[in-house]
Every structure is written in structure tokens, then in C-alpha cells.
Amino acid sequence: MEKQFNVVGRRLPMVDAAAKVTGSAQFTDDLVFPGMLHGKILRSPHAHARILNVDVSKAMRLPGVKGVVTGAEIPDRQYGIVPKARDEYAIAKGKVRYIGDEVAAVCAIDQEIAEEAVELIEVEYEELPAVFDPRDSIKEGAPVIHEGVTNNTSFAIRKEFGDVEKAFAESALVSEDSFYSQAVNHAPMEPHAAVAQYDPIRGQVVLWSSTQIPFFLRRNLAATLQIPESRVRVIKPKVGGGFGQKIDMFAKDFCAAWFAMKLGRPVKFVYERDEVFIVTRQRHPMYLTVKTGMAKDGRILGQQFLAYADGGAYNSTAPTMMALSCFFLMVPYHVPNLLYEGYHVYTNKPVGGAMRGHGIPQARFAVERQLDLMAERLNLDPAEIRVKNSIKAGEPHPGGFVINTCGFAESVQQAAEGIGWKEKRGKLPFGRGVGMGGASFPSGVTNMSHISSGAVVQVGQDGGVNVLTGAADIGQGAETVIAQIVAEVLGVRFEDVRVTAADTGITPLDPGTFGSGVTVRAGNAAKIAAESVRKRLFECVADELEANPDDLVAKDGVIFVTGSPEINITFPKALKAYQYKDLPMPLVGRASWMADTSEPTTLFNQPGNFSPNYSFMTQAAEVEVDTSTGKVKVIKMVTAHDCGRPINPMLVEGQLEGSIAGGMGQALYENVITEKGQVMNPSFLDYGFPTTMEVPEMESYDIETDDPVGPFGAKEAGEGTQLSPAPAIVNAIYDAIGVNFNELPVTPERILKALEEKKKQGA
């Protein structure tokens, strides 16, 4: 692309990099206040049980205990991230629905006393029958987990585009295959934490929380506490990883605020590592059956899906997750005929929620794996099939998506070249192989209400630039990207921009970090606010430069006339001129941005353009399988990514590399193992995810497109690339040993068993 920028496109370190590497960055658990109390939660030992009685008298008598609360005492208000799916109390009322459900909370002068007090609470339960598999839970006669929810199905979606049966009839090959993707935990380094403080004079509770979405948290907290939102202020300190696991409100948020209001002292709750595994969220286990019809040349004519998602005990983001799983089957490939049936089913297990890709990784694994299977059956090259079926910018989309730019076909070709596809596919020695997978992802959500992002840009007399944004930086570099955008617009140094973010008391409304929308949504708001400041500055100095304001450019701290750089004024002198004209200082620009939409919809009931724009990506893997141990070594991963114009290529690379590690975990290692609802591996030691020792050689390629909606042409980067590593790795395993795996993770035990069966069959 020809456009040249000064700050956008530079590989700049994160604005908080120094604080993080020197240890001065403050996370929620680092906060300490005078007189602070500590909380602990009593959790259910039963997968499904009625609560008959809770006796807290012994706990209350323990010296140092300041308060105990049970579900019977809190307001009768359920919460949830999706309004139509609210089904959860901060502390369970009446019955518990999984091992770990909250039963009571204690507040004490230190953590040890709080833990001791929890052990003194006596609970009388009536155990109920439990169910642990969505295919059993959906049957007639299964235990009822939530009264009034038929067949334990809290959300169902059925969408049909075109005529699938006609497409199958016209296909040269129709294949039907079943797949399973396991439960995966986000495993953020920072455990979930909350600290609350109450001001009785102002009647305001302030909550510091390791959250991705401060404004949504404020809404849920106000609703469950039954106080106005204006009396709740949520501040996000540094967050040590979220990956979707921190978009929900949790009991720790409610209980910290509850006790702070009742006791008038600061209160802190911090989850233990096993609590992070058991009682927060996980990627939904999902069973998928996929039927695809292909023409002889590899064109996809129609697809049919049946999906059962194991939601665990509560909804969290269930409707959104299922809708995404459905609609994103129609990108990156052109699927003219599609029938999707999906069910979110309650079980007595840990709760599913948003996790990088949000319902799409499970479906994408199935599609990408089946594409390779069908390519083999048609004697076609899997890479060529992907290019042949690539969706194209500007073409009508069955689901109503508006695709302004699309570099998917180029990403396939670049990834193939990077991995050495032509030289290696099917040609390496037994035990070694290559594979690939493709994907697409939205840059945030368009069709929802309350989804605008605001920004305030303020320029002081000394030329310093302050930005207020509600965007939540959870380690991905959101504040850095916003600072680059503002610096580029104003023509100032990156170092001169300061960002204050994610404080509902002082920063503008923002939906927070989910769905990969921050760069486009908050970036556009910051860009427009900065342009407002620049416009007034240009109007002020235009007379002095004897130029039209529209002909002025700001760059390198200088404002000059287009084509005549010698006619200029420095940024500080321009500010002084503005001030000497008795114009009000500081210069302030405000903006709020949301993507165009005809009317709010969430795709639950009708199709529509879900996102402002869409990223596209392909990842290719080379693996080596040790046929004596079953271990898989990922030797190399190549990522080719159309994220529009990267605002900060180094941060994009970081996201891509993180997604490779995450995809490796999904493909080979990670699995939240439960037995009768009990999580058996709730620790970093037992869970198992790739470390730096397993991370392979990585190459990344930018497929630059100039998107007309994103700030400076940017689209999302990072979350979408979480979708394709797992199928790329499993496809490479097939190329290496000729064994098909439709179930994740592909563990050494499964590989050895499959090789043994293959040997018996004489293959």
C-alpha cells in the first residue's frame, strides 16, 4: 500500500512495558488499603443438590470473622453477560448445579481466618441426580438442572440458507463425519481478583477488578446489588491475561462489593488456581456432525451441521457463542447452501464461556479437518481447495456479512509457500508431515445495542496529549495502539501521548475487550476525537500560513502546507498561537463511534452484517510424530494474516505467536478432565499446556489490505488466528502417519492406539 505514516505501522513497545518488566505495574491483587479485609467462598462439593440449610453460627463466632453471607440474604437478581440468558446468582439460592457452585462467603481480618471460617460453615444438602453429557442431558427424563428449561436446552438455533438437499443431490461427493472438541481452560497467569471500597457519604462503591469489560461489570454489579449504576465505579488495574475468561461477573466481584458496603471497610477476594479452573469459565466441549457436498472440482456446494455444546451449569455467553459458531461457518469459504442446528445444553459441570474464537474453534476444527478428508477422496490438493472456495470481497454473502476486503486466498498461498507445501505435502518420510487450516474472524460486533466506544483527546499548553478511553487493555496492547493512532493524527511523538483507560468513573463508555473489536471500535473513536482537535488547530494557524485548513498536514511535530513543507509552524508554536487568540485551553476533542447498522440484532433471529470488518488467515504446520512414544513435535508454524493495516506489527506478531501456542494446546495437550462433575486436573502442573520448550519455529506474513472502516485500514489481529492452528496440526499429523483424528486433543495415547489398530488392519 502506498500510504506512508509516521507512527502507525511502527514496531513500538507497549506503553506499559517498562512497568511490567520492572515489576511496578499494579494488578488487582497488588492493591492494599488500610483496614482491608479478606474474603473466601464456600463451594458446593456436590454436582447437583438442593440446599436445605446453611448454619454459619460457628463461622461467625471465630475471632477475626467480620461477616458471612449466604444466597438467602442477597437480592433475588440473576445476572449474565447476555440479557436474555441471565440464569446465575452471585451465591446459589435453593440448589447448587455443579461442584464449585457458590454456597456462602466469609469476610475476615486475614486470609487464613477466612479460610478457617469457611470450614466451619455447616450445610445440609439433598443430593439430586446429575447429568454430565449434553447428549444425555437433552433426553426426555434427564435430571432438570434449571426449572422451566425444556430438555436442559437453554438456547437452540436453526438457520438455513439456500437449499442444502438440492446441493447434496448435485454434488459429486457427499461426506458426513463426526467430531469432538474438548473443554479447554484459558489459564491466565493472573488469577481472578477483586477489591472493593465503599464511600458511605457519597453512597458509592468502587471496585477494582481483573475484568475485560468494566462497563458491563458495572451494569451487572449495580443490578445484583440493586443500586443505581451511578453509585458503582469499576476500575480495571493491569490484567494478566483474560482470553475471554474475564468478561463475566463472578462471585468475587459481588461479594467484595457486598461486604464493603455492609462493613464499611475495603475487602479483597482472590481466587486460588483451582478456583480459576473450576468456577470461572472454559471453552465449551462440543460434539459436531458435519455433512458436506462438493463438486468434482472441489467447490463446496452445501453443508449441514448438527452441534451440541456442553454448557455446564449456567449460560454465560451461550446464545452469542452458538450464533457465532453458526454464522462463521460461512467465512472464509463461500458456502452457498447451509443448514445449521445447534443446541446449548446444561450439564452439572463447570460453566462454558467466551474463549478466544468464542464457539468458532470447535466448528473450524471440524470443517478444516473434513476439507482435507474430502480433498483426498476427490484426489485434490487441500491448499487448492481452500483457494478455490475462498470468499471474495464485495460478493453477496448468504448470511448478510459485508466483506469490504479479503486476503484469504493470498493467505493460503503465502502459508503454503512458507511451509514448503509443494515440496513436502505427502512427500516427507513416514512420521513427518505438513498441514494447514484457514479461518476468518470479526473485528468486534456491529449489531448489538450499547456497543459504542467513546474517547476524549486533550492537548495541553505544553503539547502533551492525554487520551481518555474506556477500552480495556488486558495485555494485548490496546492502549499502545490507541496512542499510536492519536499520535499519527496529531503529528506528534508517540512518547507525548498519555492514555488513561478503563475506569467507569472518568473514562467514556466502551464495551470492553471481547470479540476482537478494540482496535476498530476504540481506535476509530480516538481517531475521530483527535481529528476534531487537529481541525481546530488547523483553522487557527491557517491564516498565519496563508493556506486553506484543508491543505494542512501535521507530521513530526510540525504543521505544514501540502506540497510546500517549508511553509510551516511547529506544534508548540501552533498551540501558543491558539492560546494567544484567547481560545479555550486545553484543546479537547470528543467522539463516540459505533459501526453502521440498520437496526440492533444479535443474529439470534435474523442474519445481518455482524461486524465492521473481517480478518482472514491461514496457518500451516509441520510436525514430527515419534511412532514409538506417540509424541508430536510441532517443528514449524507459518501464519499468513490479513488484518488490514497493522497499527503495530510487533504487537500483531505477539498475538499470532500466542495463538500458535494456544492452538497447540487445543490440538495436543489441553483438556479439562472431569469425573462425575469433579475437575481432576485443576492446576498448572496437572493440566498441561505448551511451554516455551514446545513452541516451534514461527514465521508470520502480513497480507495487507486497506479496510475502509478500520482506523488507518486496520482490522482485528490475534483472536482469529486462534482458530486454525489446531486443524493445521491435526491435518499435518494425518500427512505424517496416515491416521485420521476427529477428536481433540490428539494425545500420545491416542496416537499409539491408532497406530496399533492401523497395524492390525494391515494398512
PDB file of all heavy atoms in Angstrom, residues 332 553 565 576 639 670:
ATOM      1  N   PRO A 332     -14.173 -18.489   6.040  1.00  0.00           N
ATOM      2  CA  PRO A 332     -13.680 -17.757   4.880  1.00  0.00           C
ATOM      3  C   PRO A 332     -14.088 -18.384   3.543  1.00  0.00           C
ATOM      4  O   PRO A 332     -13.640 -17.916   2.499  1.00  0.00           O
ATOM      5  CB  PRO A 332     -12.162 -17.848   5.053  1.00  0.00           C
ATOM      6  CG  PRO A 332     -11.964 -19.205   5.656  1.00  0.00           C
ATOM      7  CD  PRO A 332     -13.138 -19.384   6.592  1.00  0.00           C
ATOM      8  N   VAL A 553      -1.057  19.733   6.833  1.00  0.00           N
ATOM      9  CA  VAL A 553      -0.661  18.385   7.261  1.00  0.00           C
ATOM     10  C   VAL A 553       0.080  18.501   8.590  1.00  0.00           C
ATOM     11  O   VAL A 553       0.852  19.447   8.788  1.00  0.00           O
ATOM     12  CB  VAL A 553       0.264  17.727   6.214  1.00  0.00           C
ATOM     13  CG1 VAL A 553       0.757  16.372   6.708  1.00  0.00           C
ATOM     14  CG2 VAL A 553      -0.448  17.583   4.886  1.00  0.00           C
ATOM     15  N   PRO A 565       6.445  22.037   2.232  1.00  0.00           N
ATOM     16  CA  PRO A 565       6.821  21.801   3.635  1.00  0.00           C
ATOM     17  C   PRO A 565       7.585  22.958   4.268  1.00  0.00           C
ATOM     18  O   PRO A 565       7.671  23.047   5.493  1.00  0.00           O
ATOM     19  CB  PRO A 565       7.669  20.533   3.539  1.00  0.00           C
ATOM     20  CG  PRO A 565       8.127  20.457   2.133  1.00  0.00           C
ATOM     21  CD  PRO A 565       7.043  21.062   1.311  1.00  0.00           C
ATOM     22  N   LYS A 576       0.617  27.798  20.983  1.00  0.00           N
ATOM     23  CA  LYS A 576       0.742  29.133  21.561  1.00  0.00           C
ATOM     24  C   LYS A 576      -0.120  30.127  20.782  1.00  0.00           C
ATOM     25  O   LYS A 576      -0.782  30.997  21.379  1.00  0.00           O
ATOM     26  CB  LYS A 576       2.217  29.561  21.531  1.00  0.00           C
ATOM     27  CG  LYS A 576       2.494  30.842  22.276  1.00  0.00           C
ATOM     28  CD  LYS A 576       3.977  31.089  22.414  1.00  0.00           C
ATOM     29  CE  LYS A 576       4.624  30.122  23.390  1.00  0.00           C
ATOM     30  NZ  LYS A 576       6.046  30.439  23.637  1.00  0.00           N
ATOM     31  N   THR A 639       2.151 -18.454   9.739  1.00  0.00           N
ATOM     32  CA  THR A 639       0.879 -17.729   9.766  1.00  0.00           C
ATOM     33  C   THR A 639       0.891 -16.648   8.701  1.00  0.00           C
ATOM     34  O   THR A 639       1.820 -15.835   8.651  1.00  0.00           O
ATOM     35  CB  THR A 639       0.642 -17.070  11.141  1.00  0.00           C
ATOM     36  OG1 THR A 639       0.651 -18.071  12.147  1.00  0.00           O
ATOM     37  CG2 THR A 639      -0.696 -16.341  11.157  1.00  0.00           C
ATOM     38  N   GLU A 670      -4.184 -29.796  25.947  1.00  0.00           N
ATOM     39  CA  GLU A 670      -5.098 -29.296  26.969  1.00  0.00           C
ATOM     40  C   GLU A 670      -6.428 -30.033  26.969  1.00  0.00           C
ATOM     41  O   GLU A 670      -7.007 -30.304  25.913  1.00  0.00           O
ATOM     42  CB  GLU A 670      -5.311 -27.798  26.774  1.00  0.00           C
ATOM     43  CG  GLU A 670      -4.021 -27.001  26.903  1.00  0.00           C
ATOM     44  CD  GLU A 670      -4.229 -25.510  26.793  1.00  0.00           C
ATOM     45  OE1 GLU A 670      -5.147 -24.997  27.456  1.00  0.00           O
ATOM     46  OE2 GLU A 670      -3.488 -24.863  26.032  1.00  0.00           O
TER      47      GLU A 670
END
